[in-house]
Amino acid sequence: MKIGLYSRLAWNNIKKNAKLYIPNILSGIGLTAVFYIILTLSKDERLSEVRGGSYLPTIMSLGVIVIALLSFILVLYTNSFLMKQRNQEFGLYNVLGMEKRHIGKILFWEMAICAICVLVGGLLTGMLLYKLCVLLICRMLAVNSILGFYHVSPKTLIPSASFFLALYLLTYLFNRIRVARMKPVELLQSTHTGEKEPKVKWLLLLVGIASLSAGYYISLTIEEPLQALELFFVAVILVILGTYCLFLTGSTAFLKLLKRNKKFYYQKKHMIAISGLLFRMKQNAVGLASITILATMVLVMVSTTVSLYAGIDEAIQRQFPHQLAISASYGVNGEYVPIPQEELLRMVQTSAAEQGLTLSYVEERRYLNCAFRREGNAFWIDIPNKHDKVISCLFITAEEYQKLTGEQLTLLENQMAVYAFPGNTGQTPDHFTIEHRSFTCAAALTEYPIPIEYLNSVDAFGFVVQNEEILTWIDALHKEAYQTNLSKITCELFLDFHDEETASQVFEAFADGLHKQISEYVASQPASNGSYGTSTSCKWDALASIYGINGTFLFLGLLLSAVFLFATALIIYYKQISEGYEDRNRFQIMQKVGMREDEVKNTIRSQILLVFFLPLIVSAVHVAFAFPILTRLLRLLFQPNQALFMGCTIVTLAVFAVIYVLIYSITAKIYYQIVS
Amino acid sequence: MAFLEVKSLKKIYTARFSGNQVQALSNVNFSVEQGEYVAIMGESGSGKTTLLNILAALDRPTSGQIFLNGKDLGGIREKELAAFRREHLGFVFQEFNLLDTFSVKDNIFLPLVLSGTGLAEMENRLNSIVQELGIADLLNKYPYEISGGQKQRVAVARALITKPQMILADEPTGALDSRSTDDLLETFRKVNAQGQTILMVTHSVKAASHANRVLFIKDGEVFHQLYRGEGTNEQLYQKISDTLTVLATGGEQR
């Protein structure tokens, strides 16, 4: 026998089994392309230099790991499926006199042909689509740059190619071992042996119920966003474990319970459906659980990343109601004293004029920002432990409040008006103590004139106090507790420029000019010790970085979702095929025993429908239970808007359901072709 | 009129693309009385299976008529055929055709469940039948756990439980060893002794020698028939063998 024979045989085998091989090769091409794209994105220096692009390498490296894992699982899954379907064929070769090493050679050639198709096709597709992905990412980062040429880098081509080559070699190795172990007669008959009725494994059932409820419990009860971040992956793993266990045993237990009820069981529709499902669930439990997990991941990824991205402008608007906030102070005898407002404003105006900018809005706000440890209604200034419940508080005087809002508040010395920032998880107190001093809340405010930064992980409150004395008292508490001479009282200038676009472009020159002026001013002050500090926070910097993070997340989320969706479709497709071959027999027997063709079709269709839509239903339930913990996590990423997230989740679920139904109906056609 | 009356039955298969015609049955006439045990014999391709399929209402004849208990099978609408088969006919197949997702008990119950019989009635019928067939202790097993002979007895129980007017058996001993064959034929004899009409298509001389009457089919026609009369199984066996020899060597006998 010549080498040519084996390659020809292998090629013929692939052609004959096109129904099985084409999806296998296509999925390989898709995975290789995505792997190459994500790897290249994580390494592309041109992109990390773009505004907001500095997060790309880190986030994309995460993506590479996910894709690598998924590829590993999917390639092995499709391979094992292919081999199972071809048992008989190999048995026949063996019986006809081919030695196992000859079959091994055929397997090698089949693997080689597949690998070549996948590598060439995948890398070419990847290179073609890379440009598109770059455009998309620039769009999501809100950057207008166009990176002209096609980027082809051997630095990422070679690792991508070798990773998938290694995967295919691994499948070959598995198949070779499989062939070495097979006994031809068994293989020839393997499809005729009956399946045992599944037994309920009670321990597994208990583990499943316990871990699923533990996962749900974590999501429902967690309050602190930071704690949520720590426990999120624990909850995810618990839910995955629970899903697998329950699909494996829960469904069987439920069906057996139904079977035990004889009156219910011995009815035309129920009897065939229940025992059919019992066996279907046994064979499909792992596949269905996998589909459920993939579907849940898609739903979570898309709904969170889309809502993050959609919430950017709102989050920015809340944290940065104005384009620029500046405060500056200088050292006098070991104390820091704010530069007087009119001086600072004069310097800002001069520097702005140098850059051709004019101000459209100016306002000074004076407030104290301080963090406390909260124990019920007692607020303590020291925070010894990183697991303590921390709140962030802003204080302004009633006088300042009236100046900024025009509203007059009448407060006693032991009274405060309180405002709870959106997204708080803890209760708003109606009376409380700071250290040992008691206050009551005289009024609940619906607005607060000072925006709070880093409203991400802790509860935040805004207070209005009666007089300046209380502010300085709190400031003194803080200075004492932290042994510092830095005051927590801030005088901040809030500014808007007429031309935001130009301002954002010439901002660096403006800031340089301002610094020069401030240092000159500080030098001219006799009491000064020469040191000064300024703090500027500007909207466009924040915009760039938030678009950078959220845009990158969105891109990765959508790309991975597309891949996961594809994986789901692939598993469903293979499932339909294997079910089809098995149902064909049953179909014929039932007709002989006296069921009408359309009755048989109906009962089988309803079983298939149930089996395929169960994952969709379960993943919707998972998403519903994940909702609380996800809202907490989104707060960490500056997205406290629950309604927006809810909307995104529902839309995602609806779109996903439509795609799922489409996948189902396309694959169902192949199923009916096989059955009839 | 006889219990089963088959009149000038004709079946022609037409190949879908070439239009070639194959005549499976040319002109079949016979009748079966109630309580009879009839075997139909013939070589492969003689039209046995076609005849059985038409009798089972699984296939329609090209022309000719069948009356079962006075009812014209051709007059039954397509939609009612499945119910008709279920309620009036019982089937025993060579390959048993038990569903491996059902236990033995559920396999036997299946036709009754399909017709919507109550649970108490089902249990009632089951008890008497399984005692008689000796499969009472197999009820909770699954088809893959029992032997071929046992499977065939389960199939017989499934055929009997609807109290059919006639049992149609297609090579029922084809997949059984000789002991199981003897058991099954004994079972058929017992069932027939209680008045059950049985029509069996078979290759096996031994199986046919248990019947009361044997019809021979050749080239789509009933070629010859033998009656048991007062003879023993062995005598009938001998007669069948002789007839088959004549058929095979091409004797003209009608």
Side-chain angles (χ1 to χ4, degrees):
Chain A
M1 289 207 242
K2 284 184 196 163
I3 291 174
L5 177 73
Y6 295 113
S7 56
R8 267 209 316 279
L9 267 175
W11 177 242
N12 273 331
N13 283 344
I14 292 178
K15 270 201 304 199
K16 261 184 295 179
N17 291 308
K19 228 179 218 173
L20 301 173
Y21 268 101
I22 286 176
N24 181 30
I25 290 175
L26 281 181
S27 68
I29 289 177
L31 286 169
T32 315
V34 173
F35 186 90
Y36 169 77
I37 288 172
I38 296 187
L39 190 66
T40 313
L41 281 176
S42 76
K43 296 270 194 299
D44 195 338
E45 283 127 12
R46 299 167 311 153
L47 271 174
S48 48
E49 280 160 17
V50 163
R51 195 180 67 173
S54 52
Y55 305 96
L56 218 64
T58 342
I59 297 176
M60 287 301 157
S61 314
L62 273 178
V64 170
I65 295 172
V66 175
I67 285 289
L69 267 176
L70 188 73
S71 309
F72 180 79
I73 295 168
L74 268 188
V75 168
L76 290 188
Y77 172 85
T78 52
N79 176 64
S80 83
F81 179 86
L82 281 179
M83 286 298 125
K84 261 186 216 157
Q85 296 290 324
R86 297 181 58 195
N87 264 348
Q88 252 182 317
E89 191 181 328
F90 292 132
L92 189 64
Y93 281 145
N94 209 195
V95 170
L96 289 178
M98 246 191 217
E99 285 171 41
K100 286 180 180 174
R101 64 193 169 93
H102 298 136
I103 298 177
K105 277 185 191 168
I106 295 178
L107 282 177
F108 177 80
W109 278 104
E110 285 176 8
M111 183 277 298
I113 293 169
C114 286
I116 288 168
C117 290
V118 163
L119 287 183
V120 173
L123 293 177
L124 277 179
T125 320
M127 284 187 273
L128 284 176
L129 291 182
Y130 184 70
K131 168 88 178 170
L132 185 72
C133 289
V134 168
L135 285 178
L136 213 64
I137 247 192
C138 284
R139 178 91 207 223
M140 287 174 183
L141 297 181
V143 180
N144 287 328
S145 32
I146 290 171
L147 304 161
F149 51 92
Y150 277 103
H151 185 79
V152 178
S153 83
K155 230 171 44 187
T156 54
L157 269 181
I158 292 166
S160 311
S162 31
F163 175 72
F164 280 90
L165 203 59
L167 269 187
Y168 278 89
L169 280 173
L170 196 65
T171 63
Y172 166 68
L173 211 67
F174 276 142
N175 297 342
R176 191 69 190 74
I177 293 170
R178 203 190 167 100
V179 167
R181 281 194 187 152
M182 76 183 185
K183 300 188 182 88
V185 181
E186 277 175 25
L187 283 180
L188 278 173
Q189 296 171 343
S190 65
T191 44
H192 296 301
T193 54
E195 290 254 359
K196 284 217 169 80
E197 189 192 23
K199 295 228 160 54
V200 181
K201 296 175 188 108
W202 293 104
L203 184 70
L204 216 55
L205 183 65
L206 280 180
V207 170
I209 292 172
S211 61
L212 192 67
S213 12
Y216 282 176
Y217 179 80
I218 289 177
S219 170
L220 291 179
T221 53
I222 208 104
E223 297 244 311
E224 293 292 310
L226 279 174
Q227 224 182 341
L229 187 65
E230 279 169 12
L231 287 178
F232 180 68
F233 290 99
V234 177
V236 167
I237 287 165
L238 283 174
V239 169
I240 290 178
L241 185 70
T243 308
Y244 275 101
C245 290
L246 286 184
F247 266 100
L248 276 169
T249 62
S251 50
T252 315
F254 176 68
L255 290 168
K256 284 218 156 177
L257 217 64
L258 289 182
K259 203 174 167 179
R260 214 170 282 171
N261 181 348
K262 287 192 174 168
K263 277 249 160 69
F264 179 82
Y265 177 61
Y266 287 117
Q267 283 178 32
K268 192 174 180 176
K269 275 189 181 164
H270 303 161
M271 179 174 173
I272 291 165
I274 290 171
S275 44
L277 280 173
L278 257 174
F279 281 81
R280 246 179 250 279
M281 289 309 292
K282 186 194 171 194
Q283 292 157 0
N284 294 326
V286 175
L288 291 179
S290 310
I291 294 176
T292 310
I293 298 297
L294 284 176
T296 313
M297 283 179 174
V298 169
L299 289 173
V300 167
M301 272 194 303
V302 174
S303 60
T304 48
T305 50
V306 168
S307 84
L308 270 180
Y309 195 76
I312 287 180
D313 286 332
E314 190 198 319
I316 288 289
Q317 201 50 45
R318 201 173 43 243
Q319 273 192 57
F320 301 91
H322 299 288
Q323 291 166 19
L324 197 61
I326 302 178
S327 64
S329 51
Y330 65 102
V332 179
N333 302 330
E335 289 261 323
Y336 274 91
V337 182
I339 293 172
Q341 187 204 340
E342 30 332 314
E343 289 296 331
L344 189 60
L345 182 58
R346 182 186 53 76
M347 293 186 269
V348 167
Q349 273 167 334
T350 319
S351 319
E354 279 169 15
Q355 305 302 327
L357 298 170
T358 49
L359 295 175
S360 64
Y361 174 90
V362 181
E363 193 162 53
E364 190 206 35
R365 296 175 192 184
R366 187 161 177 283
Y367 61 91
L368 181 141
N369 182 2
C370 190
F372 293 95
R373 170 166 56 93
R374 180 175 181 181
E375 283 174 5
N377 283 338
F379 297 175
W380 306 98
I381 193 84
D382 61 319
I383 304 166
N385 228 311
K386 86 175 169 95
H387 287 294
D388 286 327
K389 187 172 168 68
V390 173
I391 52 170
S392 175
C393 297
L394 293 174
F395 297 88
I396 54 174
T397 58
E399 186 189 352
E400 182 81 6
Y401 185 78
Q402 190 180 357
K403 189 187 97 188
L404 293 172
T405 61
E407 279 174 53
Q408 195 178 350
L409 284 174
T410 327
L411 297 166
L412 297 177
E413 203 182 333
N414 63 350
Q415 283 182 329
M416 292 195 195
V418 65
Y419 170 75
F421 280 92
N424 277 359
T425 52
Q427 273 205 327
T428 309
D430 48 11
H431 61 89
F432 58 91
T433 58
I434 294 178
E435 291 293 304
H436 292 292
R437 193 165 165 179
S438 300
F439 296 94
T440 55
C441 290
L445 304 174
T446 54
E447 258 184 293
Y448 199 70
I450 314 288
I452 193 156
E453 262 181 81
Y454 309 121
L455 177 78
N456 51 1
S457 59
V458 297
D459 282 359
F461 296 100
F463 293 100
V464 181
V465 301
Q466 190 206 24
N467 57 40
E468 185 70 25
E469 182 268 326
I470 300 171
L471 282 195
T472 39
W473 173 72
I474 296 173
D475 195 33
L477 277 181
H478 178 263
K479 278 180 182 161
E480 195 192 325
Y482 289 89
Q483 298 292 309
T484 174
N485 51 18
L486 279 171
S487 171
K488 294 298 270 184
I489 298 176
T490 316
C491 289
E492 220 167 6
L493 265 185
F494 286 80
L495 307 171
D496 277 332
F497 295 104
H498 271 299
D499 185 357
E500 187 171 353
E501 187 69 38
T502 328
S504 69
Q505 280 158 18
V506 299
F507 183 70
E508 267 182 47
F510 165 81
D512 285 346
L514 186 62
H515 274 279
K516 224 170 82 192
Q517 296 224 16
I518 292 174
S519 68
E520 278 166 17
Y521 169 81
V522 171
S524 72
Q525 294 297 306
S528 141
N529 62 10
S531 65
Y532 69 92
T534 62
S535 125
T536 53
S537 55
C538 62
K539 193 173 164 181
W540 43 82
D541 267 0
L543 264 178
S545 77
I546 202 169
Y547 266 108
I549 298 177
N550 294 2
T552 313
F553 269 134
L554 177 65
F555 177 79
L556 190 65
L558 291 182
L559 193 63
L560 285 184
S561 300
V563 175
F564 281 18
L565 205 62
F566 189 77
T568 315
L570 193 72
I571 297 178
I572 292 179
Y573 174 83
Y574 279 134
K575 221 156 238 345
Q576 293 272 32
I577 289 186
S578 62
E579 299 249 309
Y581 284 120
E582 270 162 28
D583 284 343
R584 187 155 60 175
N585 243 333
R586 257 170 244 155
F587 211 77
Q588 287 160 358
I589 295 178
M590 281 192 213
Q591 259 173 289
K592 282 183 181 164
V593 175
M595 272 179 100
R596 282 206 316 270
E597 195 184 337
D598 55 327
E599 281 175 335
V600 178
K601 254 191 187 161
N602 273 339
T603 56
I604 290 192
R605 183 185 297 140
S606 59
Q607 286 176 46
I608 296 256
L609 275 178
L610 188 65
V611 165
F612 282 98
F613 285 93
L614 196 63
L616 187 65
I617 295 163
V618 175
S619 52
V621 172
H622 281 346
V623 170
F625 273 100
F627 193 79
I629 201 169
L630 289 175
T631 45
R632 304 282 188 281
L633 284 180
L634 283 178
R635 271 190 70 201
L636 275 180
L637 298 161
F638 308 101
Q639 209 296 83
N641 189 340
Q642 271 199 33
L644 178 71
F645 180 45
M646 178 82 84
C648 287
T649 310
I650 290 169
V651 171
T652 310
L653 196 60
V655 172
F656 185 79
V658 169
I659 295 175
Y660 196 89
V661 171
L662 271 178
I663 294 173
Y664 168 76
S665 49
I666 291 168
T667 55
K669 266 187 202 153
I670 292 158
Y671 169 85
Y672 284 114
Q673 267 174 21
I674 294 172
V675 169
S676 47
Chain B
M1 187 184 256
F3 180 65
L4 175 71
E5 188 87 45
V6 177
K7 282 187 181 165
S8 45
L9 208 59
K10 193 175 184 180
K11 178 71 184 178
I12 298 171
Y13 289 109
T14 308
R16 198 185 291 173
F17 295 111
S18 63
N20 283 349
Q21 292 193 334
V22 178
Q23 183 160 335
L25 298 177
S26 52
N27 182 20
V28 175
N29 292 290
F30 68 92
S31 60
V32 176
E33 295 301 330
Q34 187 148 22
E36 251 195 307
Y37 183 0
V38 179
I40 298 176
M41 291 197 81
E43 297 202 9
S44 304
S46 61
K48 292 187 313 254
T49 309
T50 309
L51 176 62
L52 195 79
N53 281 343
I54 293 173
L55 289 177
L58 286 166
D59 205 350
R60 297 259 179 182
T62 311
S63 69
Q65 283 175 307
I66 301 165
F67 294 95
L68 181 66
N69 213 358
K71 192 176 167 88
D72 185 1
L73 253 59
I76 303 171
R77 279 186 294 143
E78 197 71 40
K79 280 204 154 184
E80 292 160 353
L81 270 180
F84 174 81
R85 267 203 297 276
R86 207 164 56 214
E87 281 155 22
H88 300 280
L89 302 171
F91 295 93
V92 179
F93 305 94
Q94 178 177 1
E95 288 294 335
F96 322 129
N97 277 341
L98 299 178
L99 286 164
D100 52 6
T101 55
F102 284 139
S103 66
V104 165
K105 184 177 168 186
D106 291 354
N107 261 300
I108 300 174
F109 273 167
L110 185 62
L112 289 186
V113 173
L114 290 177
S115 347
T117 315
L119 186 61
E121 168 73 14
M122 293 203 296
E123 299 272 10
N124 233 342
R125 291 197 195 180
L126 181 77
N127 280 335
S128 58
I129 288 175
V130 294
Q131 292 302 337
E132 202 171 310
L133 296 180
I135 49 174
D137 41 354
L138 302 178
L139 285 181
N140 288 319
K141 297 204 164 164
Y142 279 81
Y144 55 85
E145 293 171 320
I146 60 180
S147 72
Q150 289 170 327
K151 279 188 204 175
Q152 197 59 298
R153 272 183 278 160
V154 172
V156 173
R158 180 179 63 186
L160 285 176
I161 201 159
T162 54
K163 298 185 176 164
Q165 295 180 330
M166 180 168 66
I167 284 193
L168 294 171
D170 186 4
E171 298 278 8
T173 58
L176 301 180
D177 59 48
S178 68
R179 245 196 77 200
S180 305
T181 302
D182 288 344
D183 282 354
L184 183 77
L185 292 174
E186 181 58 21
T187 305
F188 272 6
R189 197 197 54 74
K190 274 200 314 203
V191 169
N192 175 246
Q194 290 167 10
Q196 178 68 56
T197 316
I198 301 175
L199 191 69
M200 172 170 66
V201 164
T202 185
H203 249 107
S204 152
V205 179
K206 186 172 182 182
S209 70
H210 279 69
N212 294 334
R213 179 155 61 111
V214 184
L215 296 173
F216 295 89
I217 290 193
K218 190 184 180 186
D219 300 330
E221 281 182 66
V222 177
F223 189 78
H224 182 62
Q225 58 178 326
L226 289 174
Y227 286 91
R228 171 191 292 271
E230 294 301 315
T232 60
N233 285 356
E234 287 69 29
Q235 288 168 331
L236 187 57
Y237 189 103
Q238 196 53 52
K239 279 205 252 176
I240 296 169
S241 298
D242 293 346
T243 310
L244 286 177
T245 315
V246 172
L247 279 175
T249 49
E252 287 294 325
Q253 185 177 11
R254 218 172 248 256

